[in-house]
Amino acid sequence: PIAPPRLTVTSPLQAYQLAKTVDVRYSGTDATSPVVAYDVRYQVKSWHASALSGYVDPASWQRTTATSLQLTGVPGDEYCFEVQVLMESGDVSSWSPSYCTTLPLASSSLKAITAGWKHHTGASYYLHSYVETATEGAELRLANAEASQLALVVTKCPACGALAVYVNGHNLKTVSTYARTTKHGSVVVLPKFTEKRATILIRAVRAGKDVIVEGLAVT
């Protein structure tokens, strides 16, 4: 039997990314006929939507000879891309598996439901903003999320403490944000759980220790 065309997608490969620009990179080969073009499509899901959208097929992404494309994403959205390859013979490959990445929500999307949080801006932080507290028990909330996994975007530092993440009142994980040197934009991926409509609660758990939250990804 003749082997089908080989299609390789090299981006996006990370489940979460901080850059607004999503790079899509791919290449194809075929043993019997030259590759002449590609079709690329994607689906999008907002953090509060129950399902991915229908396929989006930008006209400039169809029958393209480019092997890399870019999409400007929206914070809080998940994007899933598929590619197919077209050969000189006229044959068309099957669509590739989906390659997905999520852009976290900004810290401003999280509602402070207790006192103690302070909002700041800074060029080194995700989307140039963050919220900070050293008050034990201080809480942030995101309501009405549709989720099966979360990722925090935090600053880690020598004076940083820990935070606990709750999904519908159940503790998902307690995360230390301590580090020997300060690092902004640290992505902490949390355990998967059964997909559900959820209220997500973030709680500072160590008095006198800073907790700096830059964003939250919902996928």
Side-chain angles (χ1 to χ4, degrees), residues 8 11 19 24 39 73 99 117-118 123 126 128 175 199 214-215:
T8 303
S11 182
V24 188
D39 292 333
Y99 291 81
W117 293 98
K118 296 180 180 179
Y126 176 59
H128 301 164
V175 176
T199 295
E214 302 180 37

Side-chain angles (χ1 to χ4, degrees), residues 16-33:
Y16 304 97
Q17 68 169 63
L18 302 186
K20 279 189 176 181
T21 300
V22 182
D23 291 314
V24 188
R25 299 190 187 96
Y26 47 87
S27 61
T29 57
D30 184 66
T32 60
S33 180

Side-chain angles (χ1 to χ4, degrees), residues 12-154:
L13 298 180
Q14 294 183 330
Y16 304 97
Q17 68 169 63
L18 302 186
K20 279 189 176 181
T21 300
V22 182
D23 291 314
V24 188
R25 299 190 187 96
Y26 47 87
S27 61
T29 57
D30 184 66
T32 60
S33 180
V35 172
V36 294
Y38 302 88
D39 292 333
V40 184
R41 65 186 184 183
Y42 70 92
Q43 295 174 284
V44 60
K45 177 188 175 298
S46 178
W47 62 272
H48 54 72
S50 60
L52 287 161
S53 71
Y55 286 106
V56 182
D57 305 87
S60 61
W61 291 18
Q62 312 311 306
R63 302 303 191 264
T64 179
T65 57
T67 54
S68 65
L69 298 167
Q70 292 185 324
L71 175 72
T72 301
V74 175
D77 284 358
E78 178 182 8
Y79 297 89
C80 293
F81 301 88
E82 297 178 5
V83 184
Q84 68 177 9
V85 59
L86 293 79
M87 282 73 71
E88 190 175 73
S89 63
D91 292 334
V92 180
S93 73
S94 301
W95 286 99
S96 72
S98 290
Y99 291 81
C100 302
T101 192
T102 298
L103 281 62
L105 289 161
S107 59
S108 58
S109 298
L110 303 173
K111 182 179 180 180
I113 59 174
T114 64
W117 293 98
K118 296 180 180 179
H119 292 261
H120 302 282
T121 59
S124 299
Y125 299 86
Y126 176 59
L127 299 179
H128 301 164
S129 68
Y130 63 100
V131 290
E132 180 180 17
T133 190
T135 302
E136 184 175 12
E139 295 178 337
L140 299 170
R141 182 176 65 196
L142 181 69
N144 204 36
E146 184 74 24
S148 62
Q149 191 168 29
L150 308 171
L152 291 165
V153 186
V154 298

